[in-house]
């Protein structure tokens, strides 16, 4: 079988770490900076960084419309979760509160339980999910706030799975990509 071809939005932020993790899992990782680079991808990762900058650069390059038109699975982490929410691209039915755990000082790590296994989660000026629509499944919470959720082909995390050695969340995403492509 051909390896899964996964785009990583590379306008800003932690795209290299995501690409490295996807490659470790046997996927082909492609940096995406222009709309046409989404063609032929099996899935897309929107990394952490700064959501305001992401939105500005995405509009500038026409990537906002291109991502809205993209039909494959999408995994958004931290700022990547923010850009997918109701107030930004409007692709995931969630309200997100930016910098919800506090600013830089409140960056922290903790173990969360994801579908029966423990995952180390790194939170950096992290958002949390404030409200979810009926089609959203909350997969993990911290301090009573959802930090990992799934809505159909969309997976969103408040934290940075690409900054640890644990590949569980990227595996979860690639499983979904594999199912959609099959
Ligand atoms: N605080 C950032 C924002 O609001 C997100 C932080 C991150 O992606 N690590 O966009």
């Amino acid at each position: 079988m051909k390896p899964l071809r996964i785009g990583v939005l590379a306008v800003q932020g932690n795209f290299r770490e995501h690409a490295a993790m996807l490659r470790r899992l046997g996927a082909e990782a492609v940096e995406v900076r222009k709309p046409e680079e989404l063609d032929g991808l099996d899935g897309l990762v929107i990394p952490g960084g700064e959501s305001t900058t992401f939105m500005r650069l995405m509009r500038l390059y026409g990537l906002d419309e291109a991502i809205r038109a993209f039909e494959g699975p999408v995994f958004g982490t931290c700022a990547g979760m923010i850009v997918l929410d109701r107030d930004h691209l409007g692709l995931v039915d969630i309200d997100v509160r930016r910098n919800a755990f506090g600013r830089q000082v409140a960056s922290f790590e903790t173990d969360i339980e994801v579908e029966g296994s423990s995952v180390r989660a790194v939170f950096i000026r992290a958002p949390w999910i404030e409200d979810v629509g009926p089609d959203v499944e909350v997969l993990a919470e911290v301090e009573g706030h959802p930090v990992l959720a799934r809505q159909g082909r969309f997976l969103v995390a408040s934290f940075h799975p690409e900054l640890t050695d644990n590949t569980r969340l990227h595996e979860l995403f690639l499983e979904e990509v594999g199912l959609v492509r099959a």
Side-chain angles (χ1 to χ4, degrees):
M1 203 177 86
K2 267 189 12 193
L4 297 173
R5 229 173 111 77
I6 310 295
V8 183
L9 188 71
V11 293
Q12 194 248 347
N14 285 1
F15 55 89
R16 288 186 192 85
E17 293 85 347
H18 274 290
M21 194 155 257
L22 292 164
R23 287 183 189 122
R24 253 174 81 184
L25 294 171
E28 185 187 336
V30 182
E31 292 182 4
V32 173
R33 294 187 180 81
K34 294 185 238 148
E36 57 271 27
E37 287 165 341
L38 290 169
D39 294 346
L41 295 180
D42 296 309
L44 176 70
V45 173
I46 307 183
E50 176 55 48
S51 55
T52 315
T53 309
F54 275 133
M55 288 309 296
R56 199 174 48 233
L57 294 174
M58 282 166 48
R59 277 191 202 111
L60 188 66
Y61 301 125
L63 278 161
D64 51 349
E65 284 313 314
I67 291 172
R68 281 202 186 96
F70 181 71
E71 290 177 348
V74 180
F75 182 19
T77 62
C78 205
M81 170 169 96
I82 298 171
V83 306
L84 289 167
D85 77 3
R86 288 174 182 150
D87 288 340
H88 297 88
L89 293 177
L91 290 167
V92 181
D93 194 13
I94 53 173
D95 273 338
V96 172
R97 189 193 313 180
R98 292 181 63 190
N99 303 310
F101 291 98
R103 289 205 155 262
Q104 196 73 31
V105 281
S107 298
F108 61 98
E109 294 185 22
T110 188
D111 293 318
I112 57 169
E113 191 80 3
V114 181
E115 300 189 330
S117 60
S118 176
V119 172
R120 188 89 184 146
V122 180
F123 292 80
I124 304 171
R125 287 169 289 118
W128 68 45
I129 299 172
E130 198 101 289
D131 184 57
V132 302
D135 298 332
V136 178
E137 182 190 357
V138 173
L139 301 178
E141 296 186 348
V142 168
E143 295 171 15
H145 303 285
V147 294
L148 178 67
R150 177 160 56 199
Q151 179 187 318
R153 64 189 172 94
F154 294 97
L155 182 66
V156 289
S158 301
F159 51 91
H160 288 265
E162 78 287 4
L163 297 183
T164 66
D165 260 352
N166 188 311
T167 53
R168 183 70 198 109
L169 288 182
H170 289 80
E171 284 166 39
L172 201 66
F173 175 61
L174 291 178
E175 278 163 26
E176 171 69 19
V177 176
L179 287 177
V180 169
R181 192 177 78 168

